[in-house]
Amino acid sequence: MATTKSNSFIVYCDLNDQLQLLSDEEAGIVFKNIIGYSLTGQLSLTDNKAVNVVLVGMATQIDRNKQKYEEVSAKML
């Protein structure tokens, strides 16, 4: 998805269940990659399937939230 002017994204607490299944190192990789995705729109998958599952899920949620934000913003204009 293309980047927007937003400099933030929402992280839902139910993600905790998935992150608890990862090592601290893997969770750090997820966090760094999802920040990059939010800024650039480019998802950097790894060779770790568990990390990729979490990344893809988070990226999908970020895309949904950005789309909703843009729809609401357009209605306000």
Side-chain angles (χ1 to χ4, degrees):
M1 174 172 230
T3 58
T4 63
K5 293 182 181 182
S6 175
N7 65 349
S8 62
F9 62 94
I10 297 170
V11 176
Y12 295 99
C13 290
D14 58 0
L15 175 67
N16 184 56
D17 293 338
Q18 295 173 36
L19 289 177
Q20 292 302 318
L21 297 173
L22 302 176
S23 69
D24 289 346
E25 182 179 352
E26 290 169 328
I29 291 168
V30 167
F31 187 69
K32 284 183 171 184
N33 284 345
I34 210 63
I35 293 271
Y37 177 71
S38 182
L39 292 171
T40 67
Q42 300 295 316
L43 188 59
S44 299
L45 295 178
T46 70
D47 58 354
N48 184 314
K49 289 182 182 182
V51 167
N52 290 343
V53 167
V54 177
L55 282 171
V56 169
M58 290 182 73
T60 301
Q61 188 63 53
I62 287 171
D63 291 345
R64 267 191 239 126
N65 290 341
K66 282 185 178 183
Q67 183 176 0
K68 287 178 189 176
Y69 175 81
E70 290 169 0
E71 289 170 1
V72 169
S73 294
K75 289 179 183 178
M76 296 178 134
L77 295 177

